Amino acid sequence: MASLLQPDRVLYLVRGEKRIRSPLSQLYFCRYCSELRSLECVSHEVDSHYCPSCLENMPSAEAKLKKNRCANCFDCPCCMHTLSTRATNIPAPLPDDPTKTTMKKAYYLACGFCRWTSRDVGMADKSVASGGWQEPENPHTQRINKLIEYYQQLAQRERQERDRKKLARRRQCMPLAFSEKYGLGTRLQRQRSGAPISSLAGLSLKEGEDQKEINIEPAQALDEVEPLPEDCYTRPISLPEVTTLRQRLLQPDFQPAGASQLHPKHKHLLMKRSLRCRKCEHNLSKPEFNPTSIKFKIQLVAVSYIPEVRIMSIPNLRYMKESQVLLTLTNPVENITHVTLIGCEEGDPDDVNSTAKVMVPIKELVLAGKDAAAEYDELAEPQDFQDDPDVVAFRKSNKIGFFVKVIPQKEDADVTVTFKIRHDFRNLAAPVRPSEEGADASAEAIWLTHHVELSLGPLAP
């Protein structure tokens, strides 16, 4: 159960851009490169944005305009749970006769977890359930927008300057006849001096468009600050009325100091993303576009292709004494898999965390194919693999238990053993060109080797 309840006990080495050790359940397997992939050596692509509360789906451009927040759903400013709209009846004067009143429906926001309501901060009730709610205005909005426009213009100038330098280097290497043949010199002469070369650099600005200069006033420090109130040190503090650090940081534009200044915030959008192998650019994971669906179009998780090692039982480990550890090996594919365990040699660059000597079985381990209906079929005949009882402890369907011998080498450190597993893999899904003889090349087995690191815990006292 080490990979389920304690996934960090069994780690597989990923040899990508960085050498990363991670549990097999958190890795992906590229069928085209036949290599393990982690989240740090794949490309992340955003497929769609959606609200986790109302499941509204929107493209990336619309989500950017809405600042990645849902327009209809709100989060509680106290406990960050989703707010719900509640209805109540309030007395309202009749338009014909103000002296008489009638009951009218009113709607307000309420949190079902901490019982916070929009009435606690003085927000007015609404007569309709849908629509926008009153939001406080940030007094520094104009200043922030002006700073954003200024830095966008600055970034655009730097981009144009880089494109001009690239073009200048390209023109030095370009023959004169080539440029005259395609009319490149005429197009460059038409460009105004200082205008962006949109036809060559691919910029978003139109040709000859003048940019208005944006000047910002530098911020000035004040010599005098507002003094503290006289009762600042004598007034008793009521902790329920003081906001926490998390509540203030969730509203950085206001940073309310008191609970009466908390206002609901629009709910953050979530995204569905695809993972792509950087080496071959094939998809490793691609979810369904609909936010209500939890299925995947492509999901190449490593536990579906690579034999999984788990720790079943650990005896009392003692310094410089041999112990037998029972491990299990599970075959996730439907065909028979042959596995060979190899010990790490001295000076192996991958063997950096080992604190014990391990002796793995020399014989090849044969794993039966995965059959989902095998455990329910009582009439099925067991396969005879002629296992060595000194090596294989038990066999059940596509899983076997086997022994390894461990001798701890360090007295003041946790026991960590490393070895390599070598197994055959048949890529039945990846498109492969058939050979000239007409044989099916996709059924040919390739041998893969993985570095496995097991943490067996501390030594026995």
Side-chain angles (χ1 to χ4, degrees), residues 186-369:
T186 308
R187 294 175 65 185
L188 290 177
Q189 291 175 2
R190 293 177 183 172
Q191 299 287 344
R192 295 173 51 186
S193 59
I197 310 174
S198 59
S199 59
L200 300 177
L203 298 177
S204 59
L205 292 180
K206 296 181 180 179
E207 183 178 352
E209 182 182 358
D210 294 330
Q211 285 294 307
K212 184 180 178 181
E213 186 73 20
I214 299 177
N215 296 321
I216 58 172
E217 299 178 0
Q220 297 179 357
L222 299 177
D223 297 332
E224 298 181 359
V225 296
E226 185 179 352
L228 294 174
E230 296 180 357
D231 58 346
C232 177
Y233 298 103
T234 58
R235 183 178 67 248
I237 298 176
S238 177
L239 291 181
E241 298 177 0
V242 180
T243 56
T244 63
L245 184 61
R246 184 187 179 194
Q247 292 171 349
R248 299 185 190 188
L249 295 180
L250 283 174
Q251 300 186 12
D253 44 354
F254 297 102
Q255 297 190 14
S260 59
Q261 303 171 1
L262 290 174
H263 283 76
K265 299 292 291 184
H266 287 277
K267 200 168 189 64
H268 266 292
L269 299 178
L270 299 183
M271 67 178 182
K272 286 198 169 189
R273 61 179 179 177
S274 299
L275 304 179
R276 189 182 296 273
C277 177
R278 292 181 183 175
K279 186 175 181 181
C280 64
E281 296 187 352
H282 283 91
N283 276 323
L284 301 180
S285 176
K286 189 172 184 61
E288 292 280 353
F289 189 79
N290 190 356
T292 60
S293 175
I294 60 173
K295 296 181 180 180
F296 287 83
K297 296 179 181 178
I298 302 173
Q299 183 75 331
L300 304 182
V301 290
V303 291
S304 300
Y305 299 93
I306 306 301
E308 184 180 8
V309 179
R310 294 186 185 179
I311 304 172
M312 187 168 184
S313 66
I314 304 174
N316 291 331
L317 301 174
R318 303 188 184 278
Y319 177 63
M320 297 301 294
K321 290 187 178 180
E322 183 180 299
S323 303
Q324 260 193 352
V325 179
L326 180 59
L327 307 178
T328 63
L329 197 61
T330 307
N331 180 21
V333 296
E334 296 180 355
N335 52 291
I336 296 177
T337 302
H338 301 79
V339 179
T340 304
L341 303 180
I342 307 170
C344 295
E345 300 178 355
E346 294 185 4
D348 191 341
D350 297 334
D351 188 14
V352 294
N353 299 325
S354 178
T355 61
K357 182 180 179 182
V358 59
M359 290 168 282
V360 297
I362 303 175
K363 296 183 178 180
E364 183 181 72
L365 303 177
V366 182
L367 301 178

Side-chain angles (χ1 to χ4, degrees), residues 36-66:
L36 289 174
R37 293 284 182 259
S38 66
L39 289 176
E40 297 192 15
C41 55
V42 296
S43 299
H44 300 254
E45 300 175 357
V46 178
D47 288 345
S48 62
H49 294 79
Y50 69 96
C51 174
S53 179
C54 64
L55 298 179
E56 180 186 0
N57 195 4
M58 64 184 70
S60 299
E62 184 181 353
K64 187 177 180 180
L65 290 176
K66 294 183 178 180

